[in-house]
Amino acid sequence: MDNLEIGHHISHQFDAELASVLNHLMNMGGMVEQQIRDATESLIENNTTLAQQVVVGDTKINALEVAIDEECIRILAKRQPTAIDLRLVIAIFKTITDLERIGDQAERIARQTLNLGGRECPATFCESFGEMSSLVLQMVHATLDAFTRLDTQSAANTTMVDDKVDMLYVDILTQLLPRIEARPNQAGEHINMMWATRALERIGDHSCNICEYVIYFVKGKDVRHIGRDAMKKFQD
Amino acid sequence: MDNLEIGHHISHQFDAELASVLNHLMNMGGMVEQQIRDATESLIENNTTLAQQVVVGDTKINALEVAIDEECIRILAKRQPTAIDLRLVIAIFKTITDLERIGDQAERIARQTLNLGGRECPATFCESFGEMSSLVLQMVHATLDAFTRLDTQSAANTTMVDDKVDMLYVDILTQLLPRIEARPNQAGEHINMMWATRALERIGDHSCNICEYVIYFVKGKDVRHIGRDAMKKFQD
């Protein structure tokens, strides 16, 4: 938390409260990253035990979301922050909603592993899925890092990575479709793989949302829905 | 807005601001409902012109989200509400995020219509999809109604409807899978139908989220992630 300028308040108590909520947010982020990693491994290694663990783990992330929400509401009620402090609390509010939904998507991947019930995914799929998952994990990590360092440039750069994620998503779907056509009796399994790939793609989108909140917080500018070209000016 | 008790503040200006933001939220809700209706019609009637309209219409919903967010932040900064007023602003904040994502899902359905490029969906699918869409629309409408009337009982009831939506979702997927197996050369089209069905299912989930915010606002109790059984006690 060293990089966030939260030490400028007259009330040390307020600083402590902000630092605490930010620490909880980063813990939640770390847990979410681990869930993505485990869910991916469960699918690639067809490890249903690990998948089960991810499903159970999601309840902890849900509980963290509710707890951090309550912390934010307490800060708003007690400290009535304005200007940049208010924007920070709002950014945290919104970020944890997206983090929780990233957690849901990781759970969704794990559920596909369970649906597959130990059946192996094709090697080409595993390779592409692993590559896409690594890229998505890089995005989530860079996003949380940009949040900690309030780095709008890095936040804007990270949203650009989502284009690559989207391309990989289309690639994998394009790979899977002819496999379904060729092996219609395995359509169900291939559709499970599609859902899992879709979940990864959604994680990229949620990461972008968080990057936009970072820019909103630092610049006071709402950059949602402005499109990639307009976003590019925050990269410099 | 008659049913919301917002006339209890000393500052009439504050009441006017709250009424205004709630009216904007309800306008956004009405637009989102229309988008779901149009997206559904576009798919069932394979009407690509209507689908195109839905895609364009989504930008208006996105703009409304940003505008309402800004209104909420202005209220927080200027009025520094506490207790129930603060909870209302938070509930609005969260609700518009879900409304915006419902809009995204409607757009997603319209995009499947465009992907199908005028090819007809099978009659049995159209019938089930239409039924599921009606149910989802009822949910969204009841949700917005519960918000206006601050009716926690109706909000809790609405979350229960989501179980029916989920069942219909599984039914449609179960219908589509053997069709893919029987006609592998039309797998792509059937997968488009699956994505559209999935989008409807997600709209049900977002509706549930909003119902939970209504309960949070009225009861001061966070009911997210508590499960259906625990939710039932809010039905009486």
Side-chain angles (χ1 to χ4, degrees), chain B:
Chain B
M1 279 312 95
D2 294 345
N3 292 304
L4 261 177
E5 288 177 40
I6 53 170
H8 63 288
H9 298 101
I10 297 165
S11 156
H12 290 301
Q13 188 54 33
F14 185 29
D15 286 340
E17 284 166 8
L18 274 183
S20 155
V21 76
L22 280 162
N23 265 323
H24 292 154
L25 182 144
M26 289 303 148
N27 287 345
M28 185 176 172
M31 279 169 68
V32 162
E33 284 184 60
Q34 191 57 45
Q35 289 280 93
I36 302 170
R37 227 173 273 126
D38 289 346
T40 302
E41 190 184 325
S42 81
L43 190 71
I44 292 179
E45 310 282 339
N46 55 308
N47 183 340
T48 50
T49 315
L50 187 58
Q52 202 58 263
Q53 232 169 275
V54 173
V55 171
V56 174
D58 191 52
T59 55
K60 285 190 209 155
I61 292 173
N62 295 344
L64 258 180
E65 184 203 8
V66 173
I68 298 175
D69 243 17
E70 280 168 9
E71 263 187 286
C72 286
I73 292 171
R74 267 201 304 278
I75 291 180
L76 284 177
K78 213 164 111 185
R79 306 285 169 192
Q80 311 197 318
T82 55
I84 194 165
D85 295 330
L86 175 58
R87 287 212 308 275
L88 177 60
V89 177
I90 300 298
I92 295 171
F93 249 128
K94 291 185 172 279
T95 295
I96 55 166
T97 305
D98 280 280
L99 276 182
E100 190 269 333
R101 290 183 188 170
I102 292 178
D104 286 346
Q105 299 296 340
E107 187 198 341
R108 204 153 283 157
I109 295 169
R111 287 202 181 276
Q112 303 314 317
T113 308
L114 297 175
N115 287 342
L116 285 163
R119 272 162 297 184
E120 271 183 31
C121 298
T124 47
F125 169 80
C126 288
E127 201 181 310
S128 308
F129 188 84
E131 189 189 340
M132 187 174 167
S133 177
S134 296
L135 202 60
V136 162
L137 266 164
Q138 275 172 38
M139 268 188 87
V140 174
H141 195 81
T143 299
L144 292 168
D145 197 51
F147 201 112
T148 316
R149 294 185 295 108
L150 299 183
D151 185 339
T152 52
Q153 192 178 338
S154 158
N157 285 339
T158 305
T159 63
M160 303 297 155
V161 180
D162 197 41
D163 292 341
K164 275 194 221 161
V165 170
D166 288 348
M167 275 192 290
L168 272 172
Y169 170 63
V170 173
D171 276 359
I172 297 181
L173 257 51
T174 316
Q175 266 174 40
L176 287 173
L177 192 59
R179 293 187 72 99
I180 296 178
E181 290 168 353
R183 297 173 189 76
N185 61 329
Q186 293 170 16
E189 288 88 325
H190 285 90
I191 287 163
N192 287 326
M193 296 175 224
M194 282 191 176
W195 291 140
T197 312
R198 169 87 184 153
L200 275 186
E201 188 266 338
R202 295 293 298 138
I203 294 177
D205 292 346
H206 287 294
S207 250
C208 282
N209 293 345
I210 299 176
C211 288
E212 289 165 3
Y213 308 145
V214 173
I215 298 173
Y216 159 73
F217 166 58
V218 177
K219 306 269 186 193
K221 223 178 170 70
D222 203 318
V223 292
R224 282 174 295 176
H225 320 302
I226 61 171
R228 283 281 181 279
D229 282 342
M231 187 62 124
K232 278 189 181 136
K233 68 170 188 266
F234 292 98
Q235 286 189 290
D236 313 313

Side-chain angles (χ1 to χ4, degrees), chain A residues 172-205:
Chain A
I172 296 182
L173 256 50
T174 315
Q175 264 175 41
L176 287 174
L177 194 59
R179 293 187 72 97
I180 295 179
E181 290 168 353
R183 296 175 190 77
N185 61 327
Q186 291 170 18
E189 287 86 326
H190 285 90
I191 288 164
N192 287 326
M193 294 174 224
M194 281 191 177
W195 290 140
T197 312
R198 168 87 184 153
L200 275 186
E201 187 267 339
R202 294 293 297 137
I203 294 176
D205 292 344

Side-chain angles (χ1 to χ4, degrees), chain A residues 49 128 145 190:
Chain A
T49 314
S128 308
D145 196 52
H190 285 90

Side-chain angles (χ1 to χ4, degrees), chain A residues 29 38 50 100 137 155 161 169 174 191 223:
Chain A
D38 288 347
L50 187 58
E100 190 269 333
L137 266 165
V161 180
Y169 170 63
T174 315
I191 288 164
V223 292

